Amino acid sequence: MQSQKYLTDVAQALDPEQFLGQFKIKSLSDEDLKDMWRRYDKDDSGDMSMAELRTFLEDLLEKEKGHRNLDDEVFKVCQEAVDTNKDGVISFEEFEKYLGDYTLLASSAKL
């Protein structure tokens, strides 16, 4: 079995288009969510910082819309939608809930 560290390193080494291109955002499995988490929780802290969230959203925009221009106002709306406990970091549970509800994701990120 491959180590968590190896899987994290591989996920983080792929360019965003390669990485996100393998997923259908509307139908993510539990394993898909874990793969995404490993990629975007860059410091492996167990929480996603706002900078890490922004990188994820920019990568998603690039995949879905062909650009990385995430307006600060749109980012703020996304941040408020995903950081449900308002502690300034994103837990895996918050990330999972946000991605699990594609309508929430699409409306807040304007995809």
Side-chain angles (χ1 to χ4, degrees):
M1 189 159 127
Q2 296 173 329
S3 76
Q4 180 84 10
K5 174 84 171 108
Y6 172 78
L7 293 172
T8 299
D9 291 346
V10 168
Q12 290 177 354
L14 293 172
D15 72 51
E17 190 170 332
Q18 282 179 309
F19 181 75
L20 291 174
Q22 64 188 332
F23 299 106
K24 291 187 181 342
I25 299 299
K26 292 181 183 180
S27 59
L28 293 172
S29 70
D30 290 343
E31 196 57 39
D32 292 340
L33 286 168
K34 289 175 188 170
D35 287 345
M36 285 190 163
W37 183 261
R38 283 191 285 268
R39 176 182 173 84
Y40 291 100
D41 180 19
K42 295 271 188 195
D43 60 3
D44 201 26
S45 66
D47 290 312
M48 190 179 290
S49 70
M50 290 303 128
E52 291 167 333
L53 176 64
R54 186 175 196 102
T55 299
F56 165 71
L57 292 170
E58 288 170 343
D59 288 354
L60 191 59
L61 268 174
E62 185 172 26
K63 177 188 181 297
E64 297 290 323
K65 299 291 186 178
H67 67 81
R68 300 182 59 80
N69 305 326
L70 180 61
D71 182 89
D72 288 339
E73 192 173 310
V74 172
F75 177 69
K76 185 168 176 56
V77 169
C78 293
Q79 177 183 345
E80 289 171 0
V82 69
D83 187 15
T84 56
N85 67 1
K86 309 301 181 217
D87 65 354
V89 294
I90 308 305
S91 68
F92 178 76
E93 292 76 22
E94 289 170 321
F95 183 75
E96 182 178 38
K97 182 177 181 192
Y98 186 63
L99 288 180
D101 185 350
Y102 185 77
T103 58
L104 177 63
L105 173 65
S107 66
S108 64
K110 301 198 180 191
L111 297 178

